[in-house]
Amino acid sequence: MSEPAVETPVLDRYECRACGYVYEPEKGDDKHDIPSGVLFAELPINWRCPVCSAKKTAFANIGPAGTASGFKENLGYGLGVNNLTPTQKNILIFGALALGFLFFISLYGLQ
């Protein structure tokens, strides 16, 4: 018999709206001795932002790492670029810049 599949909870990240600090459950919080794997909902009620000491209520859910950035209702617009993850967008942007630079430099080869 096969073992039943174990569901792993989605580890959503939470961003402090005051300073921009992102609490990532995969990393935890070393300043307050919170080990990795502790979900944001499981943090103590008196836990505060390690950067600016904002209360837990000042944090907003920004979803798991590697998801497409932006509002969910806007992800269907555009030429498909809105569905890219931030890493894919960086590769697209900087790859296009590098290619443009190479084309520009190749103009020096013309006589």
Side-chain angles (χ1 to χ4, degrees), residues 29-106:
D29 179 12
D30 293 336
K31 187 175 180 182
H32 296 106
D33 295 326
I34 305 293
S36 62
V38 176
L39 299 176
F40 187 79
E42 297 172 354
L43 290 173
I45 194 69
N46 61 350
W47 181 84
R48 293 191 173 252
C49 177
V51 176
C52 68
S53 299
K55 292 183 178 182
K56 193 175 168 183
T57 56
F59 282 75
N61 186 346
I62 58 172
T67 57
S69 58
F71 296 110
K72 293 191 186 304
E73 58 269 11
N74 293 337
L75 295 179
Y77 295 104
L79 301 172
V81 180
N82 288 345
N83 289 324
L84 298 177
T85 63
T87 303
Q88 292 170 330
K89 287 180 185 177
N90 283 339
I91 291 171
L92 181 66
I93 292 168
F94 292 113
L97 286 172
L99 186 62
F101 179 74
L102 289 175
F103 284 146
F104 178 75
I105 295 297
S106 70

Side-chain angles (χ1 to χ4, degrees), residues 2-51:
S2 63
E3 294 181 21
V6 177
E7 290 186 29
T8 57
V10 177
L11 300 177
D12 286 350
R13 299 172 305 145
Y14 285 78
E15 181 179 27
C16 178
R17 291 179 285 176
C19 70
Y21 167 78
V22 176
Y23 175 77
E24 298 185 42
E26 295 90 9
K27 296 179 182 176
D29 179 12
D30 293 336
K31 187 175 180 182
H32 296 106
D33 295 326
I34 305 293
S36 62
V38 176
L39 299 176
F40 187 79
E42 297 172 354
L43 290 173
I45 194 69
N46 61 350
W47 181 84
R48 293 191 173 252
C49 177
V51 176

